[in-house]
CSV table of all heavy atoms in Angstrom, one decimal:
chain,number,residue,atom,x,y,z
A,93,VAL,N,-49.7,59.9,43.0
A,93,VAL,CA,-49.0,58.7,43.2
A,93,VAL,C,-47.5,58.9,43.0
A,93,VAL,O,-46.7,58.3,43.7
A,93,VAL,CB,-49.5,57.5,42.3
A,93,VAL,CG1,-48.7,56.3,42.4
A,93,VAL,CG2,-51.0,57.2,42.6
A,110,HIS,N,-45.2,51.4,45.1
A,110,HIS,CA,-45.7,52.6,44.4
A,110,HIS,C,-47.2,52.8,44.8
A,110,HIS,O,-48.1,52.9,44.0
A,110,HIS,CB,-45.6,52.5,42.9
A,110,HIS,CG,-44.2,52.3,42.4
A,110,HIS,ND1,-43.3,53.4,42.4
A,110,HIS,CD2,-43.5,51.2,42.1
A,110,HIS,CE1,-42.1,52.9,42.0
A,110,HIS,NE2,-42.2,51.6,41.8
A,111,GLN,N,-47.4,52.9,46.1
A,111,GLN,CA,-48.8,53.0,46.7
A,111,GLN,C,-49.0,54.3,47.3
A,111,GLN,O,-48.2,54.8,48.1
A,111,GLN,CB,-48.9,51.9,47.7
A,111,GLN,CG,-50.3,51.8,48.4
A,111,GLN,CD,-50.4,50.6,49.2
A,111,GLN,OE1,-50.2,49.5,48.7
A,111,GLN,NE2,-50.7,50.7,50.5
A,126,GLU,N,-70.1,61.3,44.6
A,126,GLU,CA,-71.0,60.2,44.0
A,126,GLU,C,-70.2,59.0,43.6
A,126,GLU,O,-70.7,57.9,43.9
A,126,GLU,CB,-71.7,60.8,42.8
A,126,GLU,CG,-72.8,61.8,43.2
A,126,GLU,CD,-73.6,62.4,42.0
A,126,GLU,OE1,-73.5,61.8,40.9
A,126,GLU,OE2,-74.2,63.4,42.1
A,134,LEU,N,-70.3,48.9,46.9
A,134,LEU,CA,-69.9,47.6,46.3
A,134,LEU,C,-69.8,46.4,47.3
A,134,LEU,O,-70.3,45.3,47.0
A,134,LEU,CB,-68.6,47.7,45.5
A,134,LEU,CG,-68.8,48.5,44.2
A,134,LEU,CD1,-67.4,48.6,43.5
A,134,LEU,CD2,-69.7,47.8,43.2
A,137,SER,N,-72.9,44.3,47.6
A,137,SER,CA,-73.2,43.4,46.5
A,137,SER,C,-72.6,42.0,46.7
A,137,SER,O,-73.1,41.0,46.3
A,137,SER,CB,-72.6,43.9,45.2
A,137,SER,OG,-73.1,45.2,44.9
A,138,PHE,N,-71.5,41.9,47.4
A,138,PHE,CA,-70.8,40.6,47.7
A,138,PHE,C,-71.0,40.1,49.1
A,138,PHE,O,-71.0,38.9,49.2
A,138,PHE,CB,-69.3,40.8,47.4
A,138,PHE,CG,-68.9,41.2,46.0
A,138,PHE,CD1,-68.7,42.5,45.6
A,138,PHE,CD2,-68.8,40.2,45.0
A,138,PHE,CE1,-68.4,42.8,44.3
A,138,PHE,CE2,-68.5,40.5,43.7
A,138,PHE,CZ,-68.3,41.8,43.4
A,157,ARG,N,-49.6,52.3,41.3
A,157,ARG,CA,-49.2,52.6,39.9
A,157,ARG,C,-48.5,51.3,39.3
A,157,ARG,O,-47.5,50.8,39.9
A,157,ARG,CB,-48.3,53.8,39.8
A,157,ARG,CG,-47.9,54.1,38.4
A,157,ARG,CD,-47.0,55.3,38.3
A,157,ARG,NE,-45.7,54.9,38.9
A,157,ARG,CZ,-45.0,55.7,39.7
A,157,ARG,NH1,-45.4,56.9,39.9
A,157,ARG,NH2,-43.9,55.3,40.3
A,175,LEU,N,-62.5,41.2,51.4
A,175,LEU,CA,-63.0,41.6,50.2
A,175,LEU,C,-62.0,42.7,49.6
A,175,LEU,O,-61.6,43.5,50.3
A,175,LEU,CB,-64.4,42.2,50.3
A,175,LEU,CG,-65.0,42.8,49.0
A,175,LEU,CD1,-65.3,41.6,48.1
A,175,LEU,CD2,-66.3,43.5,49.4
A,181,LEU,N,-58.0,52.6,36.5
A,181,LEU,CA,-58.1,54.1,36.4
A,181,LEU,C,-58.0,54.6,34.9
A,181,LEU,O,-58.3,55.7,34.6
A,181,LEU,CB,-57.0,54.7,37.2
A,181,LEU,CG,-57.0,54.4,38.7
A,181,LEU,CD1,-55.9,55.1,39.4
A,181,LEU,CD2,-58.4,54.9,39.3
A,186,ARG,N,-56.3,52.3,26.3
A,186,ARG,CA,-55.4,53.3,26.6
A,186,ARG,C,-54.0,52.8,27.0
A,186,ARG,O,-53.1,53.5,27.1
A,186,ARG,CB,-55.9,54.2,27.7
A,186,ARG,CG,-55.1,55.5,27.9
A,186,ARG,CD,-55.8,56.5,28.8
A,186,ARG,NE,-54.9,57.6,29.0
A,186,ARG,CZ,-55.1,58.5,29.8
A,186,ARG,NH1,-56.3,58.6,30.4
A,186,ARG,NH2,-54.3,59.5,30.0
A,200,VAL,N,-64.0,32.6,38.3
A,200,VAL,CA,-63.2,33.6,37.7
A,200,VAL,C,-64.1,34.7,37.2
A,200,VAL,O,-65.1,34.5,36.6
A,200,VAL,CB,-62.3,33.1,36.6
A,200,VAL,CG1,-61.5,34.2,35.9
A,200,VAL,CG2,-61.4,32.0,37.1
Side-chain angles (χ1 to χ4, degrees):
V93 174
H110 301 281
Q111 177 172 307
E126 288 182 17
L134 288 174
S137 302
F138 295 97
R157 181 184 64 220
L175 180 68
L181 299 180
R186 187 168 175 185
V200 175

